[in-house]
Amino acid sequence: MSTAAKPPLKRIVLPVFFALIFCFIVLQFVNRPLITNPPVTGEIEAPAQVKAILKKACYDCHSNETNLRWYDKVNPVYHMVAEDVTEGRKGLNFSTWKDLAAPDQKGKLWEAVNQIIAGAMPLKNYTAVHPGAKVSLEDLAVLKKYLSDMVVSKPADTSKTNALDKQYKNWTKETAAQTAPSVSSNGIAYIPDYKNWQVISTTDRVDNGSMRVITGNDIAIKAIKENHINPWPNGTIFAKIGWDKIADVDGNVHTGAFKQVEFMIKDDKKYASTKGWGFARFKTPKLLPYGKTKLFATECVNCHRPESANDFVFTSPVKH
Ligand code: HEC
Ligand code: HEC
């Protein structure tokens, strides 16, 4: 009879419902990971305003003072939270901040502010349930100011500024024949031509005490004109040039010593393992290649990851 094949809805729905509730309750006890708060050994020292922002927006995952709300402790959420806290503390922990050397602290802060600007931090699934943790534009301005006060060098005396201005002029005049040949561990050679490429942007991002200019080769410029920039065509090359930033006695900001030039070369086949881009960095006027092994490029890719929807490129050229 057809009634046997078609039982009343209630007879299925109710048992399933109770089974789910049972699973949910069991889940609360199963394999419960423990988030502990180890001692705070060397907390970051920063102005109260800065600290308050880090505390409300980052401390739950990036300190030993994780403060879980009751709804964070309900499984399966608790498992996800525990993982975020473990992973978050590994990469950045404001409670053991003083274990880092001063330059590394600056580097981490720079990365942190850029992660906020890129919208990658705090994690979106976290701010969805903790709206109070959102970083407002005012908050961001406070963090940027804190960072830039920390990294811009003290006023240099006039002779030093002049010497550095001369170094800069020489650099702009230097020809390909004069530069030392240099090859990165992933096989990418220094490209002296980047000084003649068109400037795409000078970055107004929060900086690490450097002045930066980004140039692009002809293929990049053509792609911009034709609005062909996501993905960028094979053959596109970007150069990012960095100088120290120094302030002279009158408070004007100058380019200081040449720090480095970085390249990104697009070839979706050749560089498939690093998201279609070949990365290279050459440091100091000696153009020392960065990275002992070619694994250094994962560091580049990881920091560029917040831009994965823009073909891993931060710079968004002004559209004409
Ligand atoms: C809900 C947890 C959570 C919150 C809140 C959070 N983060 Fe993170 N953060 C993570 C996790 C997980 C990772 C590692 C994996 C990743 O990069 O997505 C991470 C990675 C990072 C990294 C990279 C660290 C490295 O490996 O070098 C930085 C920088 C960072 N977060 C900054 C911040 C800042 C600044 C805030 C506050 C404005 C913040 N995060 C808030 C979970 C969080
Ligand atoms: C700490 C994060 C971080 C790391 C690590 C990093 N980058 Fe970048 N990179 C940026 C940011 C942010 C920009 C955007 C311009 C700016 O603010 O200076 C950028 C821009 C660039 C650009 C210009 C094109 C663009 O995306 O806007 C090149 C070229 C570049 N990076 C190369 C490299 C190479 C090569 C490495 C590794 C050796 C590397 N980057 C590692 C953060 C990083």
Side-chain angles (χ1 to χ4, degrees):
M1 285 199 75
S2 62
T3 41
K6 256 193 189 174
L9 203 55
K10 231 168 56 182
R11 270 173 47 199
I12 294 187
V13 171
L14 278 184
V16 168
F17 179 72
F18 285 116
L20 280 178
I21 296 226
F22 178 75
C23 288
F24 182 78
I25 292 170
V26 167
L27 199 60
Q28 302 313 312
F29 299 97
V30 169
N31 192 18
R32 215 170 156 81
L34 269 181
I35 303 175
T36 54
N37 278 332
V40 177
T41 50
E43 196 180 6
I44 184 172
E45 273 170 30
Q49 214 186 353
V50 170
K51 200 104 163 252
I53 298 166
L54 298 179
K55 280 204 159 147
K56 74 161 186 185
C58 322
Y59 262 47
D60 271 353
C61 302
H62 294 293
S63 83
N64 294 346
E65 297 177 72
T66 303
N67 172 23
L68 293 183
R69 269 40 58 108
W70 66 265
Y71 46 83
D72 296 317
K73 294 185 188 164
V74 179
N75 270 328
V77 175
Y78 190 56
H79 272 85
M80 295 181 331
V81 173
E83 201 178 309
D84 284 347
V85 174
T86 311
E87 286 305 303
R89 282 178 183 167
K90 247 189 248 161
L92 170 72
N93 191 333
F94 290 114
S95 298
T96 56
W97 186 247
K98 289 181 180 160
D99 293 350
L100 295 176
D104 295 339
Q105 293 180 347
K106 285 180 194 170
K108 274 283 179 227
L109 270 184
W110 184 67
E111 195 185 335
V113 172
N114 280 311
Q115 296 261 356
I116 298 174
I117 294 172
M121 287 291 148
L123 291 178
K124 291 231 165 57
N125 58 11
Y126 171 79
T127 46
V129 260
H130 304 87
K134 284 197 181 123
V135 176
S136 68
L137 287 178
E138 291 77 35
D139 293 341
L140 187 56
V142 169
L143 295 178
K144 280 183 176 178
K145 168 109 188 10
Y146 173 62
L147 181 61
S148 79
D149 285 352
M150 181 186 294
V151 294
V152 177
S153 314
K154 302 287 168 304
D157 62 47
T158 315
S159 65
K160 195 173 166 207
T161 327
N162 287 346
L164 287 167
D165 281 351
K166 198 167 147 217
Q167 189 195 40
Y168 177 73
K169 285 212 189 76
N170 287 341
W171 173 81
T172 55
K173 282 187 296 199
E174 182 185 69
T175 63
Q178 286 170 317
T179 52
S182 188
V183 181
S184 170
S185 53
N186 55 358
I188 295 176
Y190 173 72
I191 310 166
D193 229 16
Y194 68 93
K195 296 168 202 167
N196 308 320
W197 295 345
Q198 201 165 313
V199 172
I200 301 177
S201 84
T202 52
T203 61
D204 59 356
R205 280 181 163 266
V206 158
D207 53 78
N208 56 351
S210 62
M211 309 251 289
R212 280 158 295 156
V213 172
I214 291 163
T215 63
N217 68 353
D218 290 347
I219 298 178
I221 302 303
K222 183 160 175 273
I224 293 169
K225 286 212 180 91
E226 293 169 358
N227 203 8
H228 221 112
I229 61 174
N230 199 1
W232 291 83
N234 282 347
T236 298
I237 311 181
F238 294 110
K240 176 175 148 186
I241 311 130
W243 296 271
D244 278 336
K245 179 149 84 186
I246 54 167
D248 66 17
V249 280
D250 301 322
N252 299 315
V253 172
H254 288 242
T255 51
F258 173 85
K259 279 173 71 162
Q260 62 182 27
V261 57
E262 297 177 302
F263 295 105
M264 282 171 69
I265 306 172
K266 179 77 190 226
D267 187 325
D268 54 7
K269 298 220 172 53
K270 194 166 169 194
Y271 304 120
S273 66
T274 46
K275 306 291 176 192
W277 292 96
F279 289 89
R281 177 188 287 167
F282 300 92
K283 297 181 67 121
T284 79
K286 289 189 179 135
L287 305 174
L288 305 172
Y290 172 81
K292 286 201 184 75
T293 70
K294 64 181 185 178
L295 285 178
F296 80 89
T298 46
E299 193 185 313
C300 314
V301 173
N302 282 343
C303 204
H304 278 241
R305 199 178 301 278
E307 297 297 329
S308 57
N310 300 316
D311 201 10
F312 293 82
V313 173
F314 279 95
T315 305
S316 43
V318 189
K319 297 210 178 75
H320 298 282

